[in-house]
């Protein structure tokens, strides 16, 4: 009996021991599940925030381990698929500007060359840019120059490129822009209860409130040196879907842009483009902007300014990349130099063009802008707004927010619009 009882007691003990080893309670499961969801959600919010340090100190440096063009293609591929962080902050009202009668939430834009074919427009707006400029786009698709054709100059915070305007051509780009525009309008029509026709006559061509979409058009490699038909074609085909059209007469990586150094060709080009713009059918005619290089002397700038004013061009972008090497550059490669070494040249050109056009024309500052101090310097020199490119590839997708926040602090309650051209007014 004792043994039997002992056996029974042992079995009972075994049962008690087994009971204690059962899986955790429902409460504990709920706690772990909730914690996992919260941590995962916070991680998602962090990694999808363009301003997160992860992008500046981890993902961007990793991308820079790739070949420069491979990294660029990977960025565009990811962005067009929506695999991209976003700027979740609201722009301060002191950054708001008016450009060509349209309200723009902030003056920080992304320059042409990053999204050549208009594949990542919405992702770039999502990063917080007030304007996005795509292109250059030529009438016919072209491959551009031979690879390798992009070179990082790490010790100078610069990039050298000799891309040669590779792009998909106006037909493909035009279809992409048209489809995107009407898709956005259809979505807005459902949300706002207004007809697509009504919306099409009132919204920006970016189809995003407070944002502008620019389209940069260039010449085919096969076109004649003094021809201007390619610019007219680009304007006519893509202008209906652009908040402004940029005539790129200053790319240093093609050899047939005679308008860049020949006054007569420049004047004929501008005259032809403006006539074509003024004859566009329908009520909408996009502003036309001239993109000039940083290598012009004062006399050349005077001529450019006079031509622009005579034909009532709507704005000037100062500047494109340069063939000069204003600082000691370790990479001995041909092509257009952008980044920090370009800043002083672009800033000087911006200041002169604002003075020469008497502040009556929108000047877009571009070249070597990396900080809020740089952006504000361009504004004081006369830039209505500015564009970045190289600095974003160096510092990551939070560049727009970083500059915007810095500018707000530097303005100390003033508005961006109040400081535009301040240097000229002081003299």
């Amino acid at each position: 009996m004792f043994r039997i009882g002992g056996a029974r007691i042992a079995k009972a003990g075994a049962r008690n021991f087994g009971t204690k080893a059962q899986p955790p309670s429902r409460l504990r499961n709920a706690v772990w599940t909730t914690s996992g969801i919260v941590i995962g959600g916070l991680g998602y919010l962090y990694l999808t925030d363009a301003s997160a340090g992860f992008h500046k100190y981890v993902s961007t440096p990793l991308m820079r381990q790739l070949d420069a063009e491979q990294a660029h293609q990977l960025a565009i591929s990811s962005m067009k698929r929506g695999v991209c962080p976003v700027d979740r902050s609201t722009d301060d009202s002191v950054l708001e500007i008016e450009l060509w009668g349209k309200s723009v939430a902030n003056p920080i834009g992304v320059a042409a060359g990053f999204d050549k074919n208009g594949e990542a427009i919405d992702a770039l707006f999502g990063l917080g840019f007030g304007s996005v400029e795509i292109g250059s786009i030529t009438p016919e698709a072209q491959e551009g120059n031979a690879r390798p054709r992009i070179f990082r100059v790490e010790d100078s915070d610069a990039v050298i490129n000799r891309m040669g305007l590779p792009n998909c051509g106006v037909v493909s780009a035009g279809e992409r822009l048209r489809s995107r525009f009407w898709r956005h309008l259809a979505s807005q029509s459902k949300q706002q209860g207004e007809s697509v026709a009504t919306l099409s006559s009132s919204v920006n061509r970016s189809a995003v409130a407070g944002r502008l979409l620019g389209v940069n058009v260039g010449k085919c490699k096969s076109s004649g040196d003094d021809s201007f038909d390619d610019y007219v074609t680009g304007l006519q085909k893509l202008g209906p879907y652009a908040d402004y059209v940029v005539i790129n007469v200053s790319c240093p990586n093609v050899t047939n842009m005679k308008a860049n150094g020949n006054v007569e060709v420049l004047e004929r080009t501008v005259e032809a483009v403006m006539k074509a713009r003024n004859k566009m059918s329908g009520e909408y005619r996009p502003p036309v902007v001239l993109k000039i290089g940083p290598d012009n002397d004062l006399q050349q700038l005077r001529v450019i300014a006079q031509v622009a004013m005579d034909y009532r061009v709507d704005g000037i972008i100062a500047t494109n990349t340069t063939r000069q090497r204003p600082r000691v550059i370790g990479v001995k490669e041909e092509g257009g130099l952008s980044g920090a070494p370009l800043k002083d040249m672009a800033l000087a050109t911006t200041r002169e063009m604002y003075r020469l056009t008497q502040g009556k024309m929108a000047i877009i500052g571009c070249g070597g802008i990396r900080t809020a101090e740089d952006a504000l310097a361009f504004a004081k020199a006369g830039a209505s707004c500015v564009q970045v490119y190289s600095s974003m590839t160096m510092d990551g997708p939070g560049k727009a927010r970083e500059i915007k926040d810095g500018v707000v602090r530097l303005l100390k309650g003033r508005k961006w619009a109040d400081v535009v051209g301040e240097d000229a007014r002081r003299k």
Side-chain angles (χ1 to χ4, degrees):
M1 294 293 293
F2 177 79
R3 290 180 179 177
I4 294 173
R8 288 177 178 172
I9 291 171
K11 290 181 180 179
R15 285 196 297 270
N16 289 337
F17 181 78
T19 302
K20 291 179 181 178
Q22 289 178 352
S25 65
R26 291 181 179 178
L27 177 60
R28 187 178 300 175
N29 280 336
V31 169
W32 279 108
T33 301
T34 302
S35 298
I37 292 172
V38 170
I39 293 172
L42 291 174
Y44 171 81
L45 290 174
Y46 175 75
L47 292 175
T48 57
D49 186 343
S51 298
F54 172 83
H55 300 296
K56 184 171 185 177
Y57 300 110
V58 180
S59 65
T60 300
L62 285 174
M63 289 277 283
R64 289 171 68 80
Q65 300 305 306
L66 299 174
D67 167 79
E69 188 159 359
Q70 288 180 335
H72 179 255
Q73 290 173 338
L74 177 59
I76 292 295
S77 178
S78 298
M79 294 174 84
K80 72 180 184 181
R81 289 171 173 78
V83 183
C84 180
V86 296
D87 176 19
R88 290 197 176 91
S89 301
T90 302
D91 290 341
D92 194 296
S93 61
V94 301
L95 297 175
E96 186 175 350
I97 61 171
E98 184 175 296
L99 207 54
W100 305 304
K102 297 179 180 181
S103 176
V104 187
N106 73 76
I108 314 301
V110 62
F114 183 80
D115 186 8
K116 300 180 185 300
N117 298 318
E119 299 173 286
I121 295 170
D122 291 310
L124 287 167
F125 281 133
L127 293 181
F129 289 105
S131 61
V132 171
E133 187 177 315
I134 67 169
S136 283
I137 299 171
T138 55
E140 302 295 331
Q142 57 184 30
E143 293 295 325
N145 295 325
R147 302 186 186 192
R149 50 193 182 179
I150 309 178
F151 310 90
R152 301 186 185 99
V153 191
E154 302 285 359
D155 57 353
S156 298
D157 295 330
V159 175
I160 294 173
N161 93 82
R162 50 172 180 263
M163 297 292 287
L165 305 185
N167 71 97
C168 63
V170 296
V171 174
S172 178
E175 176 56 30
R176 187 175 292 117
L177 292 176
R178 186 197 67 78
S179 176
R180 176 188 171 275
F181 180 70
W182 292 111
R183 185 174 66 251
H184 274 271
L185 258 62
S187 175
Q188 292 176 28
S189 176
K190 291 180 181 179
Q191 294 174 3
Q192 301 175 20
E194 294 187 60
S195 68
V196 171
T198 300
L199 287 171
S200 67
S201 62
S202 60
V203 302
N204 293 344
R205 262 34 190 182
S206 70
V208 182
R211 302 289 192 268
L212 297 185
L213 174 61
V215 176
N216 185 305
V217 298
K219 290 177 64 174
C220 290
K221 194 173 183 177
S222 59
S223 298
D225 291 1
D226 57 357
S227 66
F228 49 73
D229 292 341
D230 288 356
Y231 296 119
V232 173
T233 298
L235 169 74
Q236 292 172 334
K237 298 294 185 181
L238 304 178
Y241 306 105
D243 288 304
Y244 64 97
V245 173
V246 180
I247 307 304
N248 183 4
V249 297
S250 56
C251 178
N253 299 314
V254 294
T255 59
N256 63 340
M257 285 190 178
K258 201 171 180 180
N260 190 33
N262 185 300
V263 175
E264 292 182 0
V265 176
L266 174 65
E267 185 168 6
R268 287 201 301 269
T269 298
V270 172
E271 180 182 20
V273 170
M274 295 309 295
K275 281 184 177 180
R277 193 281 304 269
N278 294 336
K279 290 180 180 179
M280 287 178 68
S281 60
E283 296 181 2
Y284 182 69
R285 297 178 176 85
V288 171
V289 178
L290 194 64
K291 187 165 187 175
I292 65 174
D295 305 320
N296 299 290
D297 59 29
L298 183 56
Q299 182 56 35
Q300 289 171 319
L301 291 178
R302 286 197 182 102
V303 172
I304 292 170
Q306 192 60 54
V307 169
M309 290 190 293
D310 286 348
Y311 290 97
R312 298 186 179 182
V313 171
D314 299 286
I316 292 173
I317 296 180
T319 65
N320 214 318
T321 58
T322 178
R323 282 187 172 274
Q324 293 188 43
R325 300 296 182 256
R327 295 183 189 175
V328 177
I329 301 297
V331 178
K332 296 181 184 282
E333 294 288 350
E334 293 184 357
L337 175 70
S338 61
L342 178 62
K343 187 185 76 172
D344 291 344
M345 300 173 69
L347 184 60
T349 303
T350 296
R351 185 176 290 110
E352 283 299 330
M353 292 310 296
Y354 181 82
R355 182 182 67 82
L356 292 169
T357 58
Q358 303 167 23
K360 298 178 180 179
M361 185 178 298
I363 308 295
I364 301 175
C366 180
I369 298 171
R370 191 170 188 177
T371 67
E373 288 79 7
D374 295 338
L376 205 57
F378 273 81
K380 291 179 179 180
S384 300
C385 57
V386 297
Q387 295 178 333
V388 301
Y389 178 177
S390 297
S391 62
M392 179 174 66
T393 67
M394 295 173 190
D395 297 333
K399 179 52 63 178
R401 173 50 54 192
E402 177 188 319
I403 293 178
K404 289 187 292 184
D405 287 346
V407 167
V408 170
R409 288 192 296 270
L410 292 172
L411 286 172
K412 297 179 180 178
R414 301 174 70 192
K415 295 182 178 181
W416 172 281
D418 295 335
V419 304
V420 173
E422 190 173 79
D423 289 350
R425 293 194 295 271
R426 285 176 177 172
K427 293 182 177 180

